[in-house]
Amino acid sequence: FISKRKSRSGEIRILIIPHLTRVGDLISVTPAIRAIKEKNPHSFIAVSVGKKVAPILENNPYIDAVIVYRAHALFNFLRKIRRRSFNWCFNFSGTSFGTLISLCGAIPNKVKLVKEERSVGEILTDRFNNFKFLYKNHTDPILHYLKMLNVLGIESINTKKDIFVSEFGEIKAQKFNGFLVGISVSAGNKAKEWGDEKFRKLAVKVNEKFGAKIVFIGAENDEARILRIVDGLDKNKFCVATDFSLGELPSLIKKLKIYVAVDTGPIHIADALEVP
């Protein structure tokens, strides 16, 4: 549980439920969070997320608290939500678990995204939500999230996503300068990966043609894999960055000319930072 400030008596208290574990989905709800705060600057906004993705929100000034979900501590998680006495819950994930959270939290106003194709569990629990917004496949999810805010009298079409840097991230990124091209070879879903040898060949070609310094970006558990990829390459032209946490990573990504990856969390950070 990360609390930036305590809620005050009489203020509107809002719980945001994005997808609990996906960086891209989490970043996509930031325009809605900003829109709420700009319309209601004295509101208290909390976001419920999984432990791994929580750091991406720590530096967001529009968020007052982050309630971290851990499967092994479900009761404690629900108790923390109930203690906050939220007035509103926005279930942007569209899941039945999001409905369960709002019910256990005794939240009176429940706003839920409803998918065209949903599970039996979702169909059965949808009726417990006061406001339901049907999301049609292949439409802009961010605009749909903003439309759901109409129940608060908020009308916004500003889809700019928010990513904020950390102090430690800025310090760690100071050593990366020049014409930088970032590459990430891994993905949470192995089926999405392109292949290490292909990425190595691409990195060499980009360096030879454009003179760019290649930064291979990954998590700590990617380090051995990345070191094998850069083995034998000039260390002045090809380097490894696996010591940036998710909260620190924006500081590095914003320095890149281009970021190359498959569909994985950091590419959504790059998109939010307008890095090609």
Side-chain angles (χ1 to χ4, degrees):
F1 180 78
I2 305 164
S3 181
K4 300 178 183 179
R5 73 170 180 86
K6 294 183 179 180
S7 58
R8 303 182 185 92
S9 177
E11 69 183 353
I12 183 173
R13 295 178 295 281
I14 300 170
L15 176 65
I16 304 293
I17 305 176
H19 194 287
L20 296 176
T21 60
R22 296 176 184 167
V23 173
D25 292 81
L26 181 56
I27 293 173
S28 292
V29 305
T30 57
I33 294 171
R34 183 183 65 246
I36 295 172
K37 203 68 169 182
E38 288 178 345
K39 178 71 174 181
N40 302 282
H42 299 298
S43 60
F44 182 88
I45 300 178
V47 183
S48 170
V49 290
K51 181 181 178 181
K52 288 185 177 180
V53 300
I56 207 71
L57 299 177
E58 289 182 11
N59 302 295
N60 190 319
Y62 303 114
I63 297 172
D64 300 295
V66 177
I67 304 176
V68 178
Y69 165 72
R70 294 180 176 87
H72 67 275
L74 177 60
F75 178 77
N76 190 41
F77 167 75
L78 295 174
R79 185 176 59 182
K80 287 176 180 177
I81 289 175
R82 193 178 184 92
R83 284 179 177 175
R84 284 285 168 174
S85 300
F86 290 104
N87 312 113
W88 289 86
C89 173
F90 284 84
N91 181 1
F92 293 128
S93 71
T95 63
S96 54
F97 184 58
T99 299
L100 172 66
I101 293 172
S102 62
L103 287 172
C104 292
I107 303 173
N109 299 294
K110 297 175 279 293
V111 189
K112 183 179 184 292
L113 177 150
V114 176
K115 295 173 251 184
E116 286 186 304
E117 300 165 359
R118 55 197 190 277
S119 66
V120 174
E122 289 173 31
I123 294 172
L124 293 174
T125 57
D126 279 349
R127 62 191 180 93
F128 294 109
N129 294 274
N130 313 57
F131 308 92
K132 296 179 281 290
F133 288 80
L134 179 63
Y135 172 73
K136 295 185 178 180
N137 294 334
H138 311 299
T139 57
D140 188 336
I142 299 179
L143 285 175
H144 187 74
Y145 301 150
L146 292 171
K147 182 181 178 181
M148 292 171 65
L149 304 184
N150 290 170
V151 297
L152 294 176
I154 299 173
E155 295 185 5
S156 174
I157 56 172
N158 185 354
T159 60
K160 184 183 181 302
K161 292 176 279 190
D162 289 325
I163 285 290
F164 298 92
V165 299
S166 70
E167 180 182 352
F168 290 114
E170 291 293 279
I171 293 172
K172 290 170 75 169
Q174 286 179 357
K175 63 181 180 181
F176 294 90
N177 295 294
F179 181 10
L180 304 175
V181 171
I183 291 181
S184 289
V185 300
S186 62
N189 182 350
K190 295 294 183 182
K192 294 180 178 180
E193 294 191 356
W194 190 40
D196 294 359
E197 186 58 31
K198 291 177 182 177
F199 271 119
R200 178 186 166 103
K201 289 179 179 179
L202 175 65
V204 171
K205 286 185 177 182
V206 171
N207 170 260
E208 290 177 347
K209 185 168 183 177
F210 302 103
K213 183 172 184 177
I214 310 300
V215 184
F216 281 93
I217 299 170
E220 287 185 4
N221 57 7
D222 295 321
E223 185 172 12
R225 177 181 177 182
I226 294 174
L227 288 175
R228 287 193 294 270
I229 294 172
V230 301
D231 185 42
L233 299 178
D234 188 339
K235 292 182 179 180
N236 294 317
K237 299 177 180 179
F238 302 87
C239 61
V240 177
T242 55
D243 60 337
F244 283 78
S245 69
L246 191 60
E248 297 165 346
L249 192 55
S251 296
L252 173 58
I253 289 181
K254 73 174 186 176
K255 287 198 163 195
L256 304 176
K257 278 289 185 182
I258 285 180
Y259 180 59
V260 184
V262 293
D263 183 14
T264 186
I267 208 163
H268 295 281
I269 296 175
D271 181 53
L273 292 169
E274 299 182 343
V275 174

